[in-house]
Amino acid sequence: MLRSLFGKQTLQRASLAARYIATSGKQTTAAAATYITPEPQFPQPLAKPEEKRPNVMKVIERESVARADRDGRSELFRRRVAPKDRLCAGDVVFVETQNSMSDPSLTSNFTGVCIGIYRRGIDTSFILRNVVNKVGVEMRFMAYSPLVKRIEILQKGEGFRRAKLFYLRENPGKTFQLKALKKMAQSAAAAKKH
Amino acid sequence: MKSRLNVIDNSGAIVAECIKVLKNAKWAEVGDEIVVSVKKARPISDKTSGSMSAAKIRKGDVRRALIVRTKKEVRRPDGRYVRFDDNACVLLNNQQQPLGSRILGLVSAELRFKNWVKVVSLAPRVV
């Protein structure tokens, strides 16, 4: 009766999907052989050795970050990394973004001081602030977005003792006098093109 | 109190107050047309009246305007958010053409997505 309701194809696909989620590679039925099941990307779940019963959501988070981490940018957002290698609030950062997925060569750049990092696994984001044409502009980038081509730290920040530098909106001091870094940003933009 | 915006073209107005949002919504975003009342305008002297052929904007004028920058962050389809330090607009005439001949300052790139081609081309910088 179920077969007549849902149709043969749907049932077979459903049973195959159940098998795929179970991560077992065995395909016993002849019908299953006609579908191409991709190899699981992580044959063993990414769990730490000390996790006896790894939390499914944590494993999924780690795997999705590992999949999205094409050029090693996750090192910028890990906490247990030396301050000189990771992104900190106060660093001057250059980000190159693709404007659309259809045309990879159309890019736009943004340079700014990082005023906040939000570490949320795959949804990790950071806010860059700069003063452009006398107007303060803040841009929040999703770190693992495929449209974000490059994240480069142009200069490490010194003397910032907070995780979120929202006070810079009212009291910028000399933080946004980044004229010297304009040249660094331009060379960073030009470097990848060559 | 209604929202006040800086006017960043050379029409003569300096500060405008939003009195109507011209779409079926409570709030207008970057790239939306609104009706504004000019709250502060540059004094019109007899010297400038000869050179400018455009309409003179006085305090109290009710005009249409286009929002070009907002302090409230706007989401781009790729997940980026952009926020500026102030709210700014550009005055328009009833045919959706900018009243001023120049735009002084930054505008948001959302204008390009909402087809405000003339304003984007006049702007010195688009972010």
Side-chain angles (χ1 to χ4, degrees):
Chain A
M1 197 198 94
L2 271 178
R3 221 163 245 253
S4 61
L5 276 179
F6 295 112
K8 202 170 167 190
Q9 292 261 317
T10 324
L11 271 184
Q12 279 175 350
R13 283 215 183 110
S15 62
L16 188 70
R19 221 173 286 127
Y20 177 54
I21 288 168
T23 69
S24 163
K26 288 183 200 162
Q27 291 160 22
T28 45
T29 61
T34 62
Y35 293 98
I36 303 166
T37 318
E39 285 296 317
Q41 194 170 0
F42 303 100
Q44 297 303 318
L46 290 181
K48 290 189 179 163
E50 61 265 18
E51 289 172 352
K52 298 280 182 277
R53 292 206 202 102
N55 184 346
V56 179
M57 290 314 294
K58 274 201 183 139
V59 169
I60 288 173
E61 196 184 282
R62 277 192 213 121
E63 284 187 6
S64 46
V65 170
R67 201 175 292 128
D69 182 17
R70 291 172 304 280
D71 52 358
R73 59 180 70 160
S74 65
E75 289 300 304
L76 289 173
F77 299 100
R78 273 178 57 203
R79 283 187 196 273
R80 303 279 177 94
V81 168
K84 65 175 171 64
D85 299 323
R86 70 162 193 256
L87 189 65
C88 296
D91 294 346
V92 181
V93 180
F94 168 82
V95 176
E96 191 185 342
T97 342
Q98 234 175 280
N99 286 338
S100 72
M101 289 300 278
S102 52
D103 192 356
S105 58
L106 290 177
T107 58
S108 46
N109 307 329
F110 192 78
T111 317
V113 175
C114 179
I115 58 170
I117 302 166
Y118 299 81
R119 292 184 183 85
R120 307 273 188 274
I122 192 75
D123 302 322
T124 299
S125 59
F126 56 98
I127 304 184
L128 296 185
R129 181 181 168 81
N130 202 351
V131 175
V132 184
N133 285 41
K134 295 183 214 158
V135 178
V137 185
E138 285 179 17
M139 262 220 188
R140 185 172 181 156
F141 295 95
M142 306 312 283
Y144 297 114
S145 161
L147 290 170
V148 172
K149 276 177 119 172
R150 248 196 317 155
I151 305 171
E152 270 181 34
I153 303 178
L154 295 182
Q155 191 183 75
K156 290 299 292 177
E158 273 178 32
F160 293 104
R161 304 195 61 172
R162 274 189 170 59
K164 303 286 185 294
L165 309 177
F166 299 142
Y167 66 87
L168 291 177
R169 290 174 186 157
E170 282 90 50
N171 301 314
K174 289 185 192 164
T175 328
F176 299 107
Q177 289 169 5
L178 301 173
K179 278 186 188 163
L181 292 171
K182 235 184 171 181
K183 285 192 178 172
M184 275 183 85
Q186 279 168 357
S187 62
K192 211 49 175 230
K193 282 186 180 165
H194 295 310
Chain B
M1 254 211 23
K2 296 148 256 176
S3 300
R4 296 227 164 168
L5 303 103
N6 298 330
V7 181
I8 58 163
D9 57 11
N10 63 348
S11 58
I14 299 170
V15 175
E17 187 181 72
C18 173
I19 56 176
K20 193 76 184 169
V21 166
L22 289 174
K23 65 177 192 180
N24 204 4
K26 288 191 177 169
W27 293 283
E29 285 189 332
V30 178
D32 290 338
E33 232 188 303
I34 56 174
V35 180
V36 295
S37 160
V38 177
K39 290 292 171 188
K40 236 200 243 177
R42 235 161 258 138
I44 301 166
S45 69
D46 291 329
K47 286 183 207 168
T48 55
S49 61
S51 54
M52 254 174 57
S53 53
K56 292 172 212 170
I57 305 293
R58 287 193 172 81
K59 183 183 158 188
D61 270 6
V62 172
R63 298 282 167 176
R64 297 218 166 173
L66 168 71
I67 301 178
V68 298
R69 289 198 300 252
T70 49
K71 211 165 173 182
K72 178 73 182 158
E73 63 277 349
V74 181
R75 188 178 183 276
R76 299 244 172 108
D78 58 4
R80 272 189 289 173
Y81 285 89
V82 194
R83 170 174 44 211
F84 299 90
D85 269 1
D86 66 345
N87 300 311
C89 68
V90 159
L91 296 188
L92 302 175
N93 63 16
N94 289 354
Q95 284 78 42
Q96 300 195 337
Q97 299 297 316
L99 272 179
S101 50
R102 275 169 55 215
I103 293 180
L104 322 153
L106 199 57
V107 301
S108 177
E110 318 308 302
L111 297 178
R112 213 176 264 144
F113 309 138
K114 297 196 177 175
N115 292 325
W116 292 97
V117 181
K118 185 118 197 259
V119 178
V120 171
S121 62
L122 285 174
R125 186 78 198 265
V126 180
V127 169

